[in-house]
Amino acid sequence: MPETNADTIYDVAVIGGGPAGYTAAIRGAEYGLKVALIDASPRLGGTCLHVGCIPTKALLFNAEIWDHLKHAEEYGIAGIGTPSLDWSAVLKRKDSIITRHVKGLEFLMKKNKIAVIPGYAKLTGAAKDGVHTVDVTASGASSQVKAKNVILASGSEAKLLPGLKADDRILTNIEILSMTQPPKSLVIIGAGAVGAEFGSIFRSFGTEVTILEFLPRVVPVEDEEISKELTRVFKKRGIDINTGAKVEKVEKTESGVKVTFTDANGKPQVKEAEKVLVAVGRAPLTVNVGVEKTRIELDRGFVKVNEAQETAEPGIFAIGDIVAGLPQLAHVGAMCGMVAVAKIAGRNFRPVRRDRIPGCTYTEPQIGSAGLTEAQAKEKGDEVKVGKFPFAGNSKATIVGSHDGFVKIVSDAKYGEILGVHIIGPQATELIAEAVAVMELEGTVEEMMFTIHAHPTLSEAMLDAYGAVEGMAINA
Ligand SMILES: Cc1cc2nc3c(=O)[nH]c(=O)nc-3n(C[C@H](O)[C@H](O)[C@H](O)COP(=O)(O)OP(=O)(O)OC[C@H]3O[C@@H](n4cnc5c(N)ncnc54)[C@H](O)[C@@H]3O)c2cc1C
């Protein structure tokens, strides 16, 4: 633990120890700043580590293995009999992954001499003589932390529909992660990344899954063709998808829940299930953190910042899920944190660009996308050229038994600059990294058509998709 007392003036006090806050704290310390990290939870890691990215991906990995086991004989693995699912072991493994990474964070805090201060923090207003004061309450006792700069990284929480309260049948991302058994049936309200991932997980484990989405398509932020392909594969997997569905009422029955909705044709429908998951988005945690005592400007609860993550209150920065105009993703929050501390330390930085953010949905099949969709590029007035290559033509996809999906490249017709890449299929969440790097370097289709991709790999589907832009894919 670094030397610290009530008179310590930190260079930076970070409020919130999720991926945005802890990344800012570590990078700040690496720059040589004196950093305090305040978190209301006794365990660092935030939503991402405890009830978000990490536990869901742990369950998705279990689901993937389970799906492979169902086809064991196809892979020449005989004699394993009928496999059974030990759900408590599944949960135990998930929890042990979380605990390991909480310990990892504790180690990193010590290594970087970051003062971790437990407690609930509130801003108190503008800086006095260049020093901000943050009120911290822990176990009923109050104290104050003083810092030249403050970074607010308080994160978000699941939104519920009006009148609903989460419990053991009406679930958010928190309750669903500690169910004692996978439910026999599950209605999911919302088909964004969170709803789609839980649908994919529990369908693999045999749950009867119904998805209700208000908008006309699932994963609505993705390219339209991606939504179509996910719908096709989800339906093939036996998931009941209802788009254009307006949920009217969620009621508890004797044994489960009853969801009343109006379907896309305006007809009233009722769906009963053991549980319902509400996955309709996340609200920023900017209430009750003292924002009103500052000049910080909010947009529907989200904090407005400039390209250095500075709020309208000098010396106060905002990062992560609370920031206006950016997607609520762990890697976005982390990068915002790195930008903020670079600015504080007087170092060079590159602002976070919305069109350079990988968006990943870890469903089966996976989705990885970055940059403009075809429709967005056309709306911008760009003359657009598109190339598409199906995984059915890729030899590694055959080897791993995963032929659904495709790679789609959106490029600028005049110069060949790559404007967007949209992948649905095996390892899409890994493959997208290449696309982000290429776009960051303003790479062109021609440059990528002559970039050697190893054989046999899934990344060859990228090479073929660049070729497809010029009508010259090799394997299709
Ligand atoms: C089910 C699910 C799956 C997800 N999967 C992914 C994924 O695969 N990839 C991805 O990139 N993103 C994913 N996300 C989103 C990701 O979890 C968030 O974008 C990320 O956690 C935001 O980080 P953050 O640091 O801004 O906030 P959080 O992670 O929410 O952390 C905020 C922290 O601040 C603390 N805090 C809040 N208020 C105060 C206060 N006043 N004083 C002190 N401490 C306070 C909290 O205790 C918490 O530790 C997922 C989210 C969910 C719900």
Side-chain angles (χ1 to χ4, degrees):
M1 183 73 181
E3 219 176 278
T4 176
N5 59 51
D7 300 326
T8 303
I9 296 175
Y10 295 95
D11 293 315
V12 193
V14 183
I15 299 176
Y22 70 66
T23 305
I26 294 169
R27 178 56 59 84
E30 287 168 342
Y31 282 137
L33 301 174
K34 197 174 177 62
V35 181
L37 178 63
I38 312 163
D39 200 296
S41 159
R43 300 207 306 166
L44 292 179
T47 302
C48 171
L49 180 51
H50 297 281
V51 285
C53 327
I54 303 299
T56 50
K57 268 81 258 179
L59 294 186
L60 277 154
F61 186 62
N62 285 78
E64 192 182 329
I65 293 178
W66 183 244
D67 284 338
H68 284 313
L69 277 179
K70 287 180 209 158
H71 303 110
E73 289 189 357
E74 216 180 279
Y75 298 108
I77 302 164
I80 55 170
T82 312
S84 64
L85 190 67
D86 180 349
W87 187 248
S88 63
V90 170
L91 295 186
K92 206 166 142 199
R93 180 171 189 273
K94 163 189 78 78
D95 292 338
S96 71
I97 292 168
I98 295 170
T99 302
R100 187 186 170 97
H101 285 271
V102 170
K103 286 195 181 129
L105 283 176
E106 286 166 358
F107 163 78
L108 290 173
M109 295 303 121
K110 282 198 188 111
K111 179 185 160 207
N112 288 290
K113 301 190 169 47
I114 294 163
V116 178
I117 300 172
Y120 188 89
K122 276 187 176 186
L123 304 169
T124 57
K128 291 195 180 85
D129 301 325
V131 176
H132 291 270
T133 301
V134 175
D135 280 342
V136 180
T137 315
S139 316
S142 310
S143 60
Q144 292 190 322
V145 171
K146 298 206 176 281
K148 292 178 196 158
N149 299 277
V150 177
I151 300 180
L152 188 59
S154 47
S156 62
E157 64 182 356
K159 283 192 218 162
L160 277 163
L161 297 172
L164 291 188
K165 216 173 143 255
D167 58 21
D168 63 341
R169 275 188 265 168
I170 297 171
L171 316 171
T172 70
N173 61 298
I174 296 177
E175 299 75 23
I176 197 168
L177 286 167
S178 51
M179 290 184 302
T180 52
Q181 280 299 326
K184 286 202 170 45
S185 51
L186 175 67
V187 171
I188 298 176
I189 304 175
V194 171
E197 285 182 2
F198 279 116
S200 188
I201 292 171
F202 287 103
R203 184 63 201 138
S204 290
F205 294 133
T207 300
E208 184 196 303
V209 175
T210 302
I211 292 181
L212 305 179
E213 167 59 54
F214 178 68
L215 292 171
R217 55 194 179 94
V218 298
V219 286
V221 298
E222 299 293 343
D223 188 276
E224 263 181 60
E225 288 193 84
I226 297 278
S227 301
K228 243 187 231 165
E229 180 68 354
L230 186 69
T231 304
R232 185 186 72 77
V233 181
F234 265 17
K235 282 188 173 165
K236 192 170 79 177
R237 294 184 59 196
I239 295 175
D240 176 22
I241 296 182
N242 300 266
T243 50
K246 185 170 186 285
V247 172
E248 310 286 355
K249 216 179 341 168
V250 177
E251 298 159 283
K252 285 200 205 168
T253 60
E254 225 166 77
S255 58
V257 288
K258 186 166 111 178
V259 182
T260 309
F261 64 99
T262 307
D263 71 14
N265 300 317
K267 287 211 181 93
Q269 303 281 355
V270 171
K271 185 80 203 173
E272 294 206 32
E274 194 178 318
K275 315 242 182 212
V276 60
L277 169 70
V278 185
V280 294
R282 297 185 59 81
L285 286 171
T286 49
V287 176
N288 208 21
V289 287
V291 164
E292 65 290 347
K293 297 197 171 139
T294 70
R295 275 172 283 183
I296 290 177
E297 289 169 16
L298 298 179
D299 174 9
R300 284 163 291 168
F302 291 92
V303 181
K304 288 195 198 173
V305 294
N306 65 12
E307 58 177 31
Q309 304 300 133
E310 291 169 294
T311 69
E313 180 64 59
I316 301 186
F317 296 69
I319 60 175
D321 278 8
I322 57 170
V323 171
L326 286 176
Q328 291 175 303
L329 293 167
H331 44 281
V332 175
M335 191 53 77
C336 291
M338 292 192 258
V339 167
V341 285
K343 172 73 182 172
I344 291 168
R347 302 297 185 99
N348 284 346
F349 66 88
R350 295 164 73 106
V352 171
R353 279 184 56 167
R354 218 195 135 87
D355 58 353
R356 298 280 161 76
I357 294 172
C360 293
T361 306
Y362 299 74
T363 38
E364 174 51 49
Q366 294 187 356
I367 298 168
S369 63
L372 303 179
T373 63
E374 186 178 346
Q376 286 166 345
K378 285 180 176 161
E379 255 167 48
K380 259 187 74 192
D382 291 326
E383 209 188 309
V384 169
K385 246 175 149 176
V386 171
K388 216 172 126 188
F389 181 78
F391 279 104
N394 176 270
S395 51
K396 185 65 188 286
T398 311
I399 292 166
V400 301
S402 195
H403 266 167
D404 289 321
F406 55 80
V407 178
K408 176 173 174 177
I409 310 289
V410 178
S411 69
D412 158 68
K414 198 162 166 205
Y415 303 105
E417 186 179 347
I418 294 162
L419 304 173
V421 176
H422 308 278
I423 312 170
I424 179 163
Q427 299 301 325
T429 57
E430 301 287 342
L431 293 174
I432 196 62
E434 167 181 309
V436 181
V438 171
M439 287 195 284
E440 190 63 26
L441 300 172
E442 298 180 358
T444 65
V445 168
E446 187 185 75
E447 284 162 334
M448 293 316 291
M449 279 174 72
F450 286 95
T451 299
I452 302 173
H453 289 67
H455 178 72
T457 58
L458 295 166
S459 70
E460 283 175 294
M462 305 280 285
L463 182 63
D464 266 319
Y466 300 125
V469 176
E470 298 299 341
M472 288 196 280
I474 298 292
N475 295 292

